[in-house]
Amino acid sequence: MSKESIQEVVQKSLEEYFNDLGEQQASNIYDMVVMTVEKPILQVVMTRADGNQSHAAQMLGINRNTLRKKLQEHGLL
């Protein structure tokens, strides 16, 4: 799957989300999307890195301490 395909999936999902909301007011969309996609990203990268947090952090382009914090936030530690 290409970067463009992922963007298309996110866009389609957000459009469906807004359609489902109807006239209701949307809020905290950014946080909702980030939290929704962050956990599976972390799970897949940690699997690809064979559980090696330093390698996973490098793959993600983030600091290892930041990775640990995110793993804890999502209950993955």
Side-chain angles (χ1 to χ4, degrees):
M1 179 178 278
S2 68
K3 177 181 170 184
E4 291 79 20
S5 296
I6 293 170
Q7 289 174 338
E8 290 170 5
V9 169
V10 171
Q11 182 174 354
K12 182 179 178 184
S13 294
L14 283 170
E15 289 170 356
E16 289 175 7
Y17 173 78
F18 280 110
N19 286 337
D20 290 345
L21 274 180
E23 297 299 318
Q24 294 179 21
Q25 184 68 22
S27 64
N28 296 324
I29 294 169
Y30 180 83
D31 288 339
M32 176 191 71
V33 171
V34 169
M35 292 301 287
T36 300
V37 299
E38 193 171 57
K39 185 174 183 175
I41 290 170
L42 296 171
Q43 290 171 317
V44 169
V45 170
M46 286 301 294
T47 298
R48 298 282 289 185
D50 293 324
N52 183 312
Q53 292 177 13
S54 295
H55 184 63
Q58 184 179 20
M59 290 171 65
L60 291 165
I62 62 176
N63 181 285
R64 187 177 146 311
N65 290 332
T66 301
L67 172 61
R68 286 188 56 77
K69 179 183 170 190
K70 291 181 178 297
L71 291 170
Q72 289 173 337
E73 288 173 358
H74 290 283
L76 298 174
L77 275 183

